[in-house]
Structure formats: structure tokens, C-alpha cells
Amino acid sequence: MYQGVHNVAATPDIPRRLPRGTHGLDPSLVAASQRARLLESVGRTVADKGYAAATIDDIVRGAGVSKKTFYEHFEDKLGCFLAAYEAASDELYEHVRAAQDSADDWVGRTHAGIHAYLRWLAAEPALARVFLIEIAAAGPEALACRERLRDRYAERMRQLHDQSVGVPDEIFHAVVAAADDLVVRRLRDGTDLLELEPILLRLQVAQLAGPKAAAELG
């Protein structure tokens, strides 16, 4: 399911598994298949064991490649994990943006983005925990990567907001961080992410348009 949800494992042009023996496939296609399987495997491995306990041996075993192949693609476990994190993050961001673009006004775009975001995460909660919780266990470089992603969402929020002029950047960042914290709490508790949809909508509207506008949501 990771492949279908996060789009890091394969496309129609990239084989999921390589034929045994001499196959005559283009080397770039072989490399793409190996890399995609490593990204899928690191997500699954960290979901099963946690970042600290996951090993490169675990990752290559799950990907069906050699350790030599791993080091042809990545310098270390962190590099592989962050590549998977960035691939999943890019996929989710584009999914959210497409949903937002389908709506007409600011509140509609905000609601559509929240709906798409939560549905995407709820499709695979174990892997959502990997990229929203285990990222903190991967060290300062991983946390910096997470902050860049939050910056991206904050900037997108500013672009969509009808009256963003004069609103400090910190407000947009605070809304993104608060939403992340609420999602992480749900993931830790194992409770329904989709129940957060009206809460996150009210949070964003209250912070960016005022309590009266939020109350009018019903």
C-alpha cells in the first residue's frame, strides 16, 4: 500500500522487481527500481522497528538488493530515510495543493487542503507515524528537513489567504506547527485522524480570519 499511497516505489515505467539473470534492461531503469525499493523498504523498516533500531541490513533485505547497491544510492541510513521522507512529503504536498486548487474561495481551499491531507495520512497510519514522529528520532538534519517542509506549507497558506498582507510569517508557521502537533497526538493515541478535519479548519480560520469567521463555520 505504501507504493500506491506515497508514490515512491514504482511508476508504470519502473519495474517493481527485476528479472533474474541477464535481462538487458537500461541501467538507469535498474537504478530507479533499486532506489524506489530502498525508499519503500526504509519506510516499512522504520515503521516496524523505529528509526534507532532499523539497520541497513534490514533495509536491503526488505528491498531485495545488496549492501553494495545500497551504498551506490545512499551514503548512510539517514540519507536513505531523508530521501524517503522528502519523496513522501513532495507527494503529499502536491496532493494537498491539487485539492486546494479545486476550490473557489479561501475557506473552501483551506477545507479542501485539510481534507486531502488527513485522508492521505489516514490511508497508512503506520507510515504517517514514521514521517511525523520518527523524523524527530533521526537527529538535527532530519528536524531541519521537517522545518523546511513546514516553511513550505506556511508559504502556501500565505499565498491562499485573501488578506495575508500584514500578517506576520510567524502566525502561518504557528498554524502549521499546531496542526502537526494535533495530528501527531492522534497518531500516538491511535485515534481517528479524520475527526480532526473540522478542528483544523476552525483552527486555521480562527487564527487567520478571526474567531467570528470560525464561529460561522457551524
Side-chain angles (χ1 to χ4, degrees):
M1 189 172 183
Y2 182 94
Q3 171 183 338
V5 174
H6 299 302
N7 195 28
V8 299
T11 71
D13 298 323
I14 300 175
R16 184 63 185 78
R17 293 290 178 186
L18 300 177
R20 292 181 179 276
T22 304
H23 45 64
L25 292 175
D26 186 288
S28 63
L29 200 60
V30 173
S33 175
Q34 292 168 340
R35 179 181 174 86
R37 284 182 281 139
L38 284 165
L39 295 184
E40 178 183 358
S41 181
V42 72
R44 286 292 185 196
T45 300
V46 174
D48 290 343
K49 305 182 74 170
Y51 179 80
T55 66
I56 291 174
D57 285 335
D58 295 327
I59 296 166
V60 300
R61 191 180 306 114
V65 303
S66 68
K67 220 174 208 184
K68 177 178 179 292
T69 296
F70 177 92
Y71 285 111
E72 288 171 355
H73 291 277
F74 303 106
E75 183 177 342
D76 51 22
K77 180 178 74 170
L78 177 61
C80 184
F81 180 68
L82 291 185
Y85 175 80
E86 290 175 354
S89 299
D90 287 346
E91 173 72 9
L92 176 55
Y93 180 82
E94 292 305 321
H95 181 65
V96 169
R97 189 170 70 169
Q100 291 168 336
D101 288 344
S102 69
D104 296 326
D105 59 10
W106 174 71
V107 173
R109 291 190 293 268
T110 300
H111 193 180
I114 291 168
H115 179 80
Y117 181 76
L118 293 176
R119 288 277 175 185
W120 195 93
L121 294 177
E124 188 93 43
L127 288 162
R129 285 195 295 273
V130 168
F131 295 115
L132 287 172
I133 296 175
E134 288 296 327
I135 190 71
E141 189 175 342
L143 290 176
C145 191
R146 185 188 69 179
E147 288 308 306
R148 288 193 296 272
L149 177 64
R150 286 182 174 181
D151 289 346
R152 195 178 184 188
Y153 278 102
E155 177 57 29
R156 176 66 177 171
M157 197 178 292
R158 174 180 283 284
Q159 292 169 3
L160 293 178
H161 186 38
D162 294 331
Q163 299 176 352
S164 63
V165 175
V167 178
D169 288 345
E170 288 82 358
I171 297 295
F172 295 99
H173 287 272
V175 173
V176 172
D180 261 7
D181 285 346
L182 290 173
V183 170
V184 165
R185 176 175 291 188
R186 289 269 171 163
L187 288 170
R188 289 189 189 278
D189 293 345
T191 48
D192 189 357
L193 283 178
L194 301 181
E195 292 177 354
L196 280 176
E197 188 171 323
I199 297 168
L200 294 185
L201 178 61
R202 185 171 287 240
L203 169 69
Q204 290 196 28
V205 173
Q207 291 298 316
L208 300 176
K212 182 178 178 181
E216 291 172 355
L217 294 172

